[in-house]
């Protein structure tokens, strides 16, 4: 990334500079609304989900414009490129960058926070965060075990599911032992995305937790040798699984999309998804056969929350806070669930009776 791609622009940056000088995260939210009025907020994040892109462009952006006179600019970019861009701007001493909001979670949040690339704390200043979010919930206090401390706000939830076609394979493995029996019965018909694919990584971690449990990792020393010793039984299991996988485990599909396509074509008998409602969506689209069904391991499957953060050098922090607050509203969370089938982050018990009806209908 070259900083030459972000040249100084006297007019717009002067305006941004003035906005930053006036910005106070502790100001009354009505004052923040005034500061945000008439500005453009740049939302950087993965752009590979066309349905999500459409939702942001046709639902969120119009609402922000109509309610707050804020223009939402969606900028599709992979998170590693976003972090590189933020790092480059910081190294160059840029006080006002080009990124406002960031779709982020996990190790990327850890890296960004540790390197001082994020602005905060801000989430507890948002009225809808206080109104609708369970602030004491583990997922709202920690992101992959790393304390959030108000530097990001929840965006959506996910949970991993396994998927098969009941017309082809009636079995639904409930644990790793039954999965081994399954792949031996249907050799070459099961695989998972090559790491570091997000879904492939989650699948492998689910194997690890089923084999050795997760509790020991809660307070385990962040040391490679220590972790490797703890997960050794799961690694041995994965190696023993390989001969029965697609292409005998000598190679793996590059992405979860590829695995899903192979399942829909009948080449594979099982696939997996981090979006629990993806099976109904894909059946509706005619991508999956009607006899497809999802299933879980008895000990449970990995779930997580993804978040939105604000860049430390964001020139439009007020607009970012207003936009994130709007996304946390019951109306937007219900819309996200309705349009994208993404699990809401709002606490159901905090919703009014009307909001509960709106969410589930």
């Amino acid at each position: 990334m070259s900083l030459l791609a972000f040249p100084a622009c006297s007019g717009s940056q002067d305006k941004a500079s003035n906005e930053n000088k006036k910005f106070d995260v502790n100001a009354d939210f009505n004052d923040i609304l005034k500061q945000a009025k008439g500005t453009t907020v740049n939302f950087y994040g993965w752009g590979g989900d066309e349905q999500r892109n459409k939702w942001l462009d046709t639902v969120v952006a119009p609402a922000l414009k109509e309610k707050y006179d804020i223009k939402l600019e969606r900028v599709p970019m992979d998170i590693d490129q976003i972090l590189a861009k933020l790092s480059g701007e910081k190294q160059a001493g840029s006080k006002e960058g080009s990124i406002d909001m960031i779709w982020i979670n996990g190790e990327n949040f850890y890296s960004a926070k540790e390197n001082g690339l994020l602005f905060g704390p801000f989430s507890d200043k948002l009225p809808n965060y206080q109104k609708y979010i369970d602030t004491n919930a583990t997922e709202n206090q920690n992101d992959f075990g790393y304390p959030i401390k108000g530097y990001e706000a929840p965006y959506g939830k996910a949970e991993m599911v396994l998927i098969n076609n009941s017309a082809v394979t009636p079995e639904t493995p409930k644990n790793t032992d039954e999965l081994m029996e399954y792949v031996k019965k249907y050799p070459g018909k099961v695989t998972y995305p090559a790491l570091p694919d997000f879904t492939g990584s989650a699948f492998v971690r689910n194997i690890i937790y089923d084999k050795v449990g997760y509790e020991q990792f809660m307070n385990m020393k962040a040391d490679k040798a220590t972790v490797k010793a703890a997960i050794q039984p799961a690694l041995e299991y994965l190696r023993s699984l390989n001969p029965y996988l697609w292409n005998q485990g000598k190679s793996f599909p590059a992405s979860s999309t590829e695995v899903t396509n192979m399942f829909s074509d009948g080449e594979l008998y099982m696939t997996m998804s981090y979006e629990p409602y993806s099976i109904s969506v894909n059946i509706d689209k005619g991508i999956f056969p009607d006899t497809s069904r999802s299933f879980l391991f008895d000990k449970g499957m990995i779930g997580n929350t993804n978040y939105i953060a604000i860049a430390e050098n964001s020139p439009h922090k007020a607009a970012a806070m207003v936009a994130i607050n709007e996304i946390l509203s019951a109306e937007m969370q219900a819309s996200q669930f309705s349009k994208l089938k993404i699990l809401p982050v709002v606490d159901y018990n905090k919703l009014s009776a009307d909001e509960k009806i709106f969410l589930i209908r």
Side-chain angles (χ1 to χ4, degrees):
M1 180 201 67
S2 169
L3 287 173
L4 294 176
F6 311 104
C9 179
S10 58
S12 61
Q13 289 212 348
D14 284 348
K15 181 182 178 182
S17 178
N18 290 334
E19 289 168 356
N20 259 359
K21 286 177 183 176
K22 293 185 293 183
F23 180 73
D24 176 7
V25 68
N26 294 309
D28 182 273
F29 199 71
N30 286 326
D31 289 335
I32 291 176
L33 288 171
K34 292 177 183 175
Q35 291 182 43
K37 184 177 175 62
T39 59
T40 296
V41 62
N42 297 300
F43 188 7
Y44 279 64
W46 182 63
D49 185 341
E50 289 305 318
Q51 288 297 108
R52 176 170 291 280
N53 296 342
K54 182 179 179 181
W55 179 71
L56 287 169
D57 293 342
T58 62
V59 178
V60 179
L64 291 174
K65 186 63 178 175
E66 180 181 350
K67 292 182 178 180
Y68 312 108
D69 191 21
I70 294 173
K71 182 180 180 182
L72 179 69
E73 286 283 357
R74 182 177 53 79
V75 183
M77 185 178 285
D78 289 342
I79 187 64
D80 55 339
Q81 294 174 303
I82 295 172
L83 297 184
K85 188 177 181 68
L86 288 172
S87 296
E89 291 176 350
K90 182 179 181 181
Q91 290 170 8
S94 174
K95 300 297 183 184
E96 294 169 355
S98 49
I99 298 173
D100 295 308
M101 297 160 55
I102 309 158
W103 186 11
I104 194 169
N105 78 331
E107 68 272 25
N108 297 309
F109 170 67
Y110 171 85
S111 175
K113 174 70 169 52
E114 287 290 307
N115 286 287
L117 304 178
L118 301 180
F119 169 76
F122 74 90
S123 61
D124 63 337
K125 315 298 181 188
L126 306 177
N128 284 338
Y129 184 84
Q130 297 294 345
K131 183 177 181 180
Y132 293 117
I133 304 301
D134 180 358
T135 57
N136 294 317
T138 300
E139 66 265 30
N140 295 321
Q141 294 189 338
N142 297 281
D143 182 353
F144 277 36
Y146 182 68
I148 293 173
K149 294 186 175 179
Y151 278 76
E152 58 183 6
Y155 186 18
K157 287 186 177 182
E159 182 176 6
M160 189 164 201
V161 294
L162 304 174
I163 300 167
N164 75 343
N165 181 349
S166 60
V168 179
T169 64
E171 306 89 344
T172 53
K174 297 294 189 299
N175 50 54
T176 45
D177 290 339
E178 289 189 13
L179 179 64
M180 179 65 77
E181 296 174 8
Y182 185 84
V183 297
K184 285 183 176 179
K185 183 176 181 179
Y186 304 108
K189 296 297 184 181
V190 177
T191 188
Y192 53 91
L195 276 59
D197 176 88
F198 192 76
T199 305
S201 172
F203 175 77
V204 168
R205 276 180 284 135
N206 231 116
I207 295 293
I208 291 171
Y209 296 155
D210 193 78
K211 293 300 292 184
V212 305
Y214 69 89
E215 295 86 351
Q216 61 178 311
F217 300 105
M218 300 295 286
N219 298 307
M220 182 176 286
K221 180 182 177 183
D223 172 76
K224 184 176 180 179
T226 302
V227 174
K228 186 175 181 179
I231 66 174
Q232 194 58 37
L235 297 180
E236 291 173 0
Y237 172 87
L238 288 167
R239 293 189 195 100
S240 65
L241 200 65
N242 279 345
Y244 309 99
L245 296 179
W246 174 81
N247 198 28
Q248 298 180 313
K250 295 175 182 176
S251 64
F252 295 82
S255 68
S256 58
T257 301
E258 190 173 336
V259 172
T260 296
N261 289 340
M262 292 166 73
F263 172 76
S264 62
D265 291 341
E267 185 176 359
L268 296 177
Y269 287 172
M270 193 185 93
T271 185
M272 57 203 69
S273 174
Y274 226 136
E275 297 177 0
Y277 285 94
S278 65
I279 186 168
S280 57
V281 172
N282 284 327
I283 289 175
D284 286 345
K285 290 179 178 177
I287 296 173
F288 285 176
D290 293 344
T291 46
S292 299
R293 60 184 171 182
S294 59
F295 58 97
L296 312 172
F297 281 173
D298 283 343
K299 292 181 183 177
M301 305 297 286
I302 288 177
N304 73 20
T305 301
N306 53 83
Y307 307 84
I308 302 175
I310 300 175
E312 169 59 28
N313 64 353
S314 160
H316 308 112
K317 295 183 179 69
M321 287 182 65
V322 174
I324 295 170
N325 186 67
E326 180 67 13
I327 289 173
L328 288 176
S329 68
E331 180 182 4
M332 277 299 166
Q333 286 292 309
S335 171
Q336 184 177 231
F337 179 58
S338 173
K339 302 288 185 183
L340 308 180
K341 299 304 180 188
I342 298 298
L343 299 176
V345 296
V346 292
D347 181 353
Y348 187 74
N349 294 321
K350 286 192 166 188
L351 299 175
S352 68
D354 288 344
E355 289 168 341
K356 288 177 180 177
I357 294 172
F358 186 65
L359 183 68
I360 62 177
R361 71 183 180 184

